[in-house]
Amino acid sequence: MFELDLETIDISTQAPAADPERQYYFIAKCREFITEEALKRGRVFTYHNETFGCQMNFKDSEKLNGVLEAIGFVPREDEKADLVLYNTCTVRENANTKVYGRIGYLGKLKKSNPDMIIAMCGCMMQEPTAVEKIKKSYHFVDLIFGTHNIFKLAELLWCVLEERRLQRIDKNQKHRMVIDVWKDTNEIIEELPSSRKYSFKAGVNIMFGCNNFCTYCIVPYVRGRERSRKPEDIINEIRNMVSQGVKEVMLLGQNVNSYGKTLDSPVSFAELLRMVDDVEGIERIRFMTSHPKDLSDDLIEVMRTSKHICRHIHLPLQSGSTRLLKAMNRHYTKEDYLKLVDKMRAAIPDIAITTDIIVGFPGETEEDFEETLTVCRDVCFDSAFTFIYSKRTGTPAAAMPDQVPEKVTSERFNRLLEVVGSCSSKRAEMLTGRTVPVLVEELDREEGLLTGRLENNLLVHFKGGEELLGSIVNVSLRECKNFYYIGEQV
């Protein structure tokens, strides 16, 4: 049943345990164990989940946290916890390096607390080289699992607890890691616990994986191929969230515009948005990320006519050079992108458009970079996430010739920031003096200031009380501070 060696228990070859009832069984088993141990020690058991990476990882962590809290663990802000879980990102190699450093720190903590459980999951764990390095250099880690089977956390944790029990019985038995990493899956598991940071807004996975294979990106290799959730499962989840007080949902996928293609009865993303827009009680709908090559006229029309979809779209450009876009395997040209922006702004004049841009992709010339700056000026993005290209082992771009020198890339990056910052300020300034609806998200008790988010995703700070948290209020935008506003409730 297991492939054993002296130091690991590898259960990655087992048949998927995708039955939710099976996982609730292991939640109950773990809860019984943790409850007994907590009574013996006279204190609660704590966990710390450190999440790296994208919105998908943070959504995964809500599910992981929900399982841990159902078992009986209580969250703790630092890593001096009974269980520490790292939900890892691997989109850049320096992300891996950062995680290795943090694992080393955990090793020191475990020396003073041998009963501490250390678990690793997420995209980095889908890389065999990363798993092998942890097995070799960080033998004190207890559990490794990947992106495709996070729903098995309770079952895997029970394996770890059983290992601990056997070690207590047989003092000669060595510590062994439990490893369960799946290469891929078609399974989508519903109805497991979830623990959200906010009671009034939530992310909702509508699909998993990616089929695009951009040459700089590792995601399809670690998240697998696209698979969409059934629309009825998505709508039921959202209805349940609304009944619990959620006002805003963020629909999540690596490329939401290709939603529904893998379903037995295909449903387009625009059709799904119509269904979500009709959910009684929902007040705001967001989504990310959109791929330009799949953004349909129907989607633009749905955004134009909807009651609840925020007039904001995140539309990654990556480069303004058609030549580089082809090398990136993006499947659109600079002209395609600009036509799409014109079409959206003609249909929805007040739409906010944000983007991603990579500087220094292999082979980027000064002329290519100038084209990117020109597109930024022409579109005048509301904001942009800007990245300096770095090699990612395992992607085609890492082996491409003409890697751009770091000095050149840094200089271009600074020039891009100036252009993007100027455009963002100009777009933000246009709203000064207007009264707009704001979802109140945070309270700074010392300053007595609330922080809320506009439809265009920018922040506003204004005076108010704790009772407004989670509500949507009208705020007059008195002063623009480039990337946020100072306002007054009206």
Side-chain angles (χ1 to χ4, degrees):
M1 187 175 180
F2 293 161
E3 295 179 7
L4 299 180
D5 62 32
L6 292 177
E7 297 181 350
T8 64
I9 303 174
D10 190 337
I11 56 178
S12 304
T13 56
Q14 286 188 277
D19 184 355
E21 290 185 9
R22 177 186 176 93
Q23 299 313 312
Y24 275 106
Y25 167 80
F26 283 106
I27 287 173
K29 294 278 285 182
C30 290
R31 182 168 60 240
E32 182 180 0
F33 179 92
I34 293 299
T35 300
E36 289 179 1
E37 288 295 308
L39 286 172
K40 290 178 185 176
R41 302 186 190 189
R43 64 172 181 81
V44 297
F45 271 57
T46 59
Y47 80 90
H48 175 80
N49 181 348
E50 190 77 15
T51 306
F52 305 82
C54 67
Q55 294 257 11
M56 298 290 283
N57 267 24
F58 280 90
K59 178 59 182 177
D60 286 346
S61 280
E62 289 183 355
K63 299 173 185 177
L64 295 165
N65 294 347
V67 169
L68 290 173
E69 290 172 23
I71 288 169
F73 286 93
V74 175
R76 179 177 173 131
E77 291 189 2
D78 61 42
E79 288 150 305
K80 295 179 181 179
D82 296 291
L83 185 152
V84 175
L85 173 64
Y86 283 171
N87 187 359
T88 60
C89 172
T90 191
V91 69
R92 292 175 182 81
E93 289 195 32
N94 59 5
N96 290 23
T97 302
K98 181 179 180 180
V99 168
Y100 290 133
R102 298 289 289 272
I103 301 174
Y105 170 66
L106 292 184
K108 295 177 182 177
L109 291 180
K110 193 162 184 173
K111 286 182 179 178
S112 59
N113 180 16
D115 289 334
M116 177 185 188
I117 296 173
I118 300 174
M120 311 290 299
C121 69
C123 293
M124 182 177 164
M125 299 304 106
Q126 291 295 141
E127 296 184 89
T129 53
V131 173
E132 287 303 314
K133 180 168 182 175
I134 293 172
K135 285 168 62 176
K136 181 179 179 180
S137 303
Y138 305 95
H139 53 84
F140 50 83
V141 170
D142 298 286
L143 171 61
I144 295 174
F145 58 109
T147 60
H148 303 303
N149 60 337
I150 64 166
F151 66 89
K152 280 186 68 178
L153 173 58
E155 182 174 351
L156 298 172
L157 182 56
W158 181 251
C159 291
V160 173
L161 296 176
E162 278 289 280
E163 274 296 295
R164 294 286 177 87
R165 185 182 67 82
L166 292 174
Q167 282 180 293
R168 289 176 183 176
I169 295 171
D170 182 1
K171 301 299 184 182
N172 294 321
Q173 179 165 313
K174 294 183 178 180
H175 169 270
R176 294 187 295 183
M177 288 183 200
V178 175
I179 301 174
D180 190 14
V181 179
W182 298 358
K183 185 176 180 181
D184 208 344
T185 185
N186 291 320
E187 302 288 349
I188 297 176
I189 310 305
E190 309 285 351
E191 301 175 2
L192 288 178
S194 182
S195 176
R196 300 191 307 269
K197 178 180 179 180
Y198 298 101
S199 62
F200 48 85
K201 68 174 187 175
V204 178
N205 292 120
I206 65 170
M207 60 190 300
F208 303 89
C210 183
N211 288 355
N212 289 314
F213 290 92
C214 300
T215 57
Y216 52 81
C217 185
I218 198 73
V219 168
Y221 305 97
V222 296
R223 283 276 178 183
R225 294 300 184 95
E226 287 179 3
R227 55 198 192 281
S228 296
R229 293 178 67 197
K230 295 176 182 178
E232 56 267 31
D233 290 335
I234 295 169
I235 298 303
N236 286 338
E237 181 179 355
I238 292 172
R239 283 177 179 152
N240 184 52
M241 287 176 168
V242 170
S243 72
Q244 296 170 4
V246 167
K247 291 182 170 62
E248 175 182 297
V249 294
M250 169 78 81
L251 307 182
L252 297 172
Q254 301 296 340
N255 175 15
V256 292
N257 295 340
S258 63
Y259 168 80
K261 294 179 180 179
T262 62
L263 296 172
D264 293 336
S265 300
V267 174
S268 73
F269 181 52
E271 290 169 329
L272 176 67
L273 279 176
R274 287 190 181 95
M275 297 178 200
V276 178
D277 199 40
D278 287 337
V279 172
E280 187 174 349
I282 197 69
E283 297 192 42
R284 280 187 174 183
I285 303 165
R286 300 185 185 274
F287 56 86
M288 69 182 309
T289 295
S290 285
H291 196 300
K293 73 179 177 65
D294 297 311
L295 200 154
S296 67
D297 291 348
D298 196 17
L299 174 57
I300 296 173
E301 180 63 13
V302 170
M303 292 187 70
R304 186 184 73 82
T305 59
S306 74
K307 302 182 290 289
H308 307 112
I309 299 173
C310 291
R311 286 0 183 209
H312 166 233
I313 190 165
H314 189 72
L315 195 66
L317 169 66
Q318 305 303 6
S319 174
S321 163
T322 295
R323 185 183 72 84
L324 285 190
L325 289 171
K326 184 176 181 180
M328 291 175 173
N329 197 36
R330 293 290 290 172
H331 297 286
Y332 57 85
T333 64
K334 171 183 70 175
E335 291 75 19
D336 293 333
Y337 190 93
L338 291 172
K339 287 177 183 176
L340 192 56
V341 169
D342 288 343
K343 189 183 295 186
M344 286 190 294
R345 285 196 168 143
I348 314 166
D350 61 342
I351 193 169
I353 302 176
T354 57
T355 197
D356 297 335
I357 300 171
I358 297 172
V359 178
F361 185 81
E364 182 186 70
T365 64
E366 180 62 20
E367 290 74 20
D368 293 322
F369 178 68
E370 283 292 342
E371 285 194 81
T372 298
L373 293 182
T374 298
V375 171
C376 288
R377 294 187 186 103
D378 290 346
V379 174
C380 203
F381 293 107
D382 289 76
S383 68
F385 294 99
T386 52
F387 306 92
I388 291 177
Y389 171 78
S390 60
K391 280 187 180 182
R392 185 62 188 83
T393 303
T395 64
M400 288 181 179
D402 301 322
Q403 300 284 328
V404 182
E406 183 179 345
K407 183 178 180 181
V408 174
T409 302
S410 296
E411 187 270 337
R412 289 176 183 169
F413 185 74
N414 290 333
R415 286 159 58 196
L416 175 65
L417 290 182
E418 288 184 14
V419 171
V420 168
S422 174
C423 291
S424 298
S425 297
K426 189 184 303 182
R427 292 283 298 176
E429 185 66 43
M430 292 167 60
L431 294 179
T432 303
R434 289 179 57 179
T435 297
V436 296
V438 171
L439 176 60
V440 185
E441 297 185 353
E442 305 282 354
L443 169 64
D444 185 330
R445 286 183 169 81
E446 289 186 11
E447 298 291 332
L449 286 177
L450 293 167
T451 297
R453 199 171 293 273
L454 283 62
E455 276 201 35
N456 67 5
N457 214 38
L458 287 182
L459 297 174
V460 57
H461 304 295
F462 60 100
K463 290 184 178 180
E466 187 174 4
E467 71 280 359
L468 293 178
L469 285 173
S471 61
I472 295 178
V473 299
N474 289 324
V475 175
S476 175
L477 305 179
R478 301 295 193 191
E479 186 179 0
C480 178
K481 296 287 189 179
N482 291 332
F483 302 109
Y484 67 93
Y485 305 93
I486 300 297
E488 182 178 337
Q489 185 185 357
V490 297

